[in-house]
Amino acid sequence: MSIPSGAPAAAPRVPEAVHRRRWVILGVLMFSLLIVVLDNSILNVAVKTIASPAPTGIGATQSELEWAINSYTLVFAGLLFTAGLLGDRIGRKKVLLAGILVFGIGSALAALSSSPGELITWRALMGLGAAFVMPATLAVLMNVFERDEQPKAIGIWAGSVGLGIAIGPITGGVLLEHFWWGSIFLVNVPVVVVALVAMAVLVPDSRDPAPGRVDPLGVVLSIVGLVLLVYGIIRGGELASFTDVTVLAPLIGGLLVLAGFVWHEKRSPHPSIDISYFRKPAFSAAVAAIALVFFALMGVTFFSAFYLQSVRGYTALESGLLILPLAAAQMIFAPRARLVVDRFGARAVCTVGMLLVAAGLAAFALFDADTPLWVLCLVFFVQGTGMAHIMPPVTVAVMQALPRERAGSGSAINNTFRQVGGALGIAVLGSVLSTVYRGDIEGHLDGVPAAARDVAGESIEATLGIAQKLGPAGKPLIAAANDAFIGAMHVTALGSAAVALIGAAVVAAFLPGRQDAQLKPHPAGAGQVPEATEVPARRS
């Protein structure tokens, strides 16, 4: 992960004026990234409020609420790769500014939505802006820091992602206690204004000095393939089944289009991405680890929210506060992960990190309705510690495998695998949770009117809603719902842990060890770029 001691020292490639303010620039990038990540988790807190009739909410149905979340994910994941390519070609600062501006406009419009359809549309616009923000932040980082400081900077960058995931529910809970539901989106607007000014003044521009010809077919294939694949994943999660034709058709279609994309890129004289990078075991293992860890983590994040709020009875704000240990662990350990990697090697560190994540996930299989809070906090801290020792090293492995002038493409690959892995985790593990829960609760729905029985078995929230309408007669159903959900959570937690163990096996087999990293010289120019690619920023 660091430059071998015997290697000749490379001359600094970053302009001195940029180098002096690199940590301030990183702060601006983290600030920009934080609002995008935070907003993706903040909506989960507000779904009940938005579903309420006007004036409290906008009367969104369950399907409309799902699409308010999924429209963002669909556009975001589908355009990540293209956004990275555009950043390399026209300039990462331009792409970052445009993405933040679009995200801010979408946030303002979403806050003023008067119908579920409007909210879904403006959430898609927010996803468009976010797709250009996330890869650009990492690409700019790679062009502001020299190679020896990149692992530390990436560790801080990764820690900010964990912080955003954790404080999203807390921020949403605070806002909803004092303001109307639209405040969770409107709060983004002043943050966006500050970010735009700070980026315009401080962040330097950079681009690929020789991007080659545009590969329009490759761009179209990547967008179509990713959109179809993610749509199929989302649809499968909605139906809690992956055998329906409306799920299989986009899934298979997306995989075929992406296979066509790979075939085209391997034969194109001017490919959007050099597929040969995936032939390197360490590179492929790194992106697989990113996908697997987010598959496992997003799945458990999904069911832990229902466990804390529906079974344990905590408010959205209290549930968010309980996840703080996960964020704290990432903020503490992610920036220091490079030190552990330098001593023990990426293979050992990431393998242990994956095992910690697996242990944290498996612990949910032991939870019940009375598990002490300190145990919950400890498990979240263990999970955060594991992630803090996975994400920085594998991100460094991906980003430093590509030349610095292709930083946008590397960041896009990193974020695309993370987003697809996370979406797949929510869909697949959510389907497992739903299927097991329905199987357990159906035997307890005899006293429920026939017209409501099917709806009552969909989820614990639906069951509890029916039980409340039954009055005192619904108390046994509440107890049965809690027991059924805990049983389903145990099965899902073990499935999540199994995925994390697969990730541990992948990184143990293919990531380089400490001796490998010391003996193998870094490829000439990897992670570096001629000074001509740096467009000096104006001084304030």
Side-chain angles (χ1 to χ4, degrees):
M1 308 299 288
S2 58
I3 297 176
S5 57
R13 301 288 184 178
V14 177
E16 185 60 31
V18 174
H19 182 74
R20 284 197 302 266
R21 63 176 189 268
R22 63 196 184 282
W23 297 109
V24 179
I25 293 171
L26 178 60
V28 175
L29 296 176
M30 287 174 58
F31 190 62
S32 307
L33 179 66
L34 191 63
I35 60 171
V36 172
V37 176
L38 183 149
D39 189 81
N40 210 16
S41 60
I42 200 173
L43 181 59
N44 294 327
V45 177
V47 290
K48 289 184 179 179
T49 306
I50 295 172
S52 303
T56 303
I58 52 176
T61 65
Q62 181 66 29
S63 176
E64 289 168 338
L65 287 172
E66 290 174 354
W67 273 107
I69 297 171
N70 294 336
S71 62
Y72 180 98
T73 303
L74 190 62
V75 176
F76 181 54
L79 292 178
L80 271 172
F81 183 72
T82 301
L85 295 178
L86 283 175
D88 286 344
R89 180 170 293 276
I90 67 175
R92 290 136 196 159
K93 179 177 180 177
K94 297 182 184 69
V95 165
L96 187 56
L97 287 169
I100 283 286
L101 180 60
V102 170
F103 185 85
I105 293 171
S107 298
L109 292 171
L112 301 175
S113 299
S114 58
S115 69
E118 288 182 10
L119 179 60
I120 292 169
T121 301
W122 303 134
R123 283 284 294 169
L125 184 64
M126 292 171 68
L128 172 64
F132 285 84
V133 172
M134 184 167 276
T137 58
L138 187 53
V140 170
L141 181 155
M142 297 299 292
N143 283 270
V144 167
F145 288 88
E146 296 294 353
R147 186 182 184 92
D148 59 338
E149 285 189 321
Q150 286 170 1
K152 180 179 180 181
I154 288 174
I156 297 172
W157 179 89
S160 69
V161 174
L163 180 64
I165 292 172
I167 68 173
I170 299 172
T171 306
V174 171
L175 289 171
L176 290 173
E177 283 188 0
H178 297 89
F179 306 102
W180 99 112
W181 68 268
S183 62
I184 65 170
F185 300 118
L186 198 61
V187 72
N188 293 332
V189 176
V191 179
V192 164
V193 172
V194 173
L196 283 170
V197 173
M199 282 189 289
V201 173
L202 294 170
V203 176
D205 203 0
S206 60
R207 64 175 69 89
D208 186 344
R213 293 171 55 193
V214 179
D215 178 22
L217 180 57
V219 169
V220 171
L221 288 174
S222 70
I223 294 174
V224 173
L226 285 170
V227 167
L228 285 174
L229 178 63
V230 175
Y231 175 80
I233 292 170
I234 290 171
R235 183 64 177 160
E238 284 181 342
L239 300 178
S241 170
F242 284 83
T243 58
D244 189 273
V245 67
T246 61
V247 176
L248 288 176
L251 277 178
I252 295 172
L255 290 173
L256 289 175
V257 172
L258 290 175
F261 169 74
V262 172
W263 182 87
H264 169 74
E265 294 299 293
K266 289 171 69 174
R267 288 157 179 78
S268 174
H270 46 87
S272 298
I273 179 174
D274 189 348
I275 300 298
S276 64
Y277 284 111
F278 286 92
R279 296 174 187 163
K280 301 176 181 178
F283 183 87
S284 294
V287 294
I290 291 169
L292 288 170
V293 74
F294 269 85
F295 180 101
L297 188 76
M298 294 307 290
V300 76
T301 302
F302 175 77
F303 68 68
S304 65
F306 289 101
Y307 169 69
L308 292 172
Q309 294 183 46
S310 300
V311 176
R312 301 298 297 265
Y314 295 113
T315 65
L317 179 58
E318 290 168 341
S319 299
L321 290 171
L322 286 171
I323 302 177
L324 272 181
L326 186 147
Q330 291 198 56
M331 291 299 293
I332 293 168
F333 295 114
R336 296 171 175 79
R338 75 194 189 284
L339 303 176
V340 189
V341 170
D342 287 342
R343 181 169 182 179
F344 299 105
R347 178 190 300 162
V349 172
C350 290
T351 301
V352 173
M354 279 287 193
L355 291 175
L356 285 176
V357 171
L361 295 170
F364 274 87
L366 303 175
F367 288 1
D368 56 31
D370 301 311
T371 300
L373 284 183
W374 69 266
V375 176
L376 291 175
C377 293
L378 178 61
V379 167
F380 282 129
F381 189 82
V382 168
Q383 287 180 331
T385 301
M387 283 198 68
H389 290 90
I390 299 168
M391 297 312 298
V394 296
T395 302
V396 169
V398 171
M399 296 304 295
Q400 290 193 343
L402 277 69
R404 185 183 275 172
E405 60 266 26
R406 295 296 180 90
S409 299
S411 180
I413 293 169
N414 177 79
N415 287 295
T416 298
F417 273 82
R418 179 172 63 184
Q419 191 67 24
V420 172
L424 196 58
I426 292 174
V428 174
L429 296 176
S431 298
V432 171
L433 183 76
S434 177
T435 302
V436 176
Y437 176 79
R438 180 181 285 274
D440 288 346
I441 198 64
E442 280 183 348
H444 300 275
L445 298 177
D446 294 337
V448 176
R453 192 169 300 168
D454 190 57
V455 174
E458 286 182 354
S459 65
I460 185 172
E461 282 296 316
T463 308
L464 294 178
I466 296 295
Q468 288 175 356
K469 293 179 181 179
L470 294 175
K475 287 185 178 180
L477 184 56
I478 293 175
N482 289 339
D483 290 342
F485 181 86
I486 289 173
M489 182 182 74
H490 290 168
V491 174
T492 309
L494 292 175
S496 302
V499 172
L501 288 175
I502 293 172
V506 169
V507 297
F510 298 110
L511 280 187
R514 183 168 179 266
Q515 294 300 319
D516 296 334
Q518 290 179 339
L519 294 175
K520 290 183 181 179
H522 292 285
Q528 303 294 342
V529 66
E531 290 185 27
T533 65
E534 296 292 343
V535 181
R538 291 183 181 179
R539 298 206 181 191
S540 54

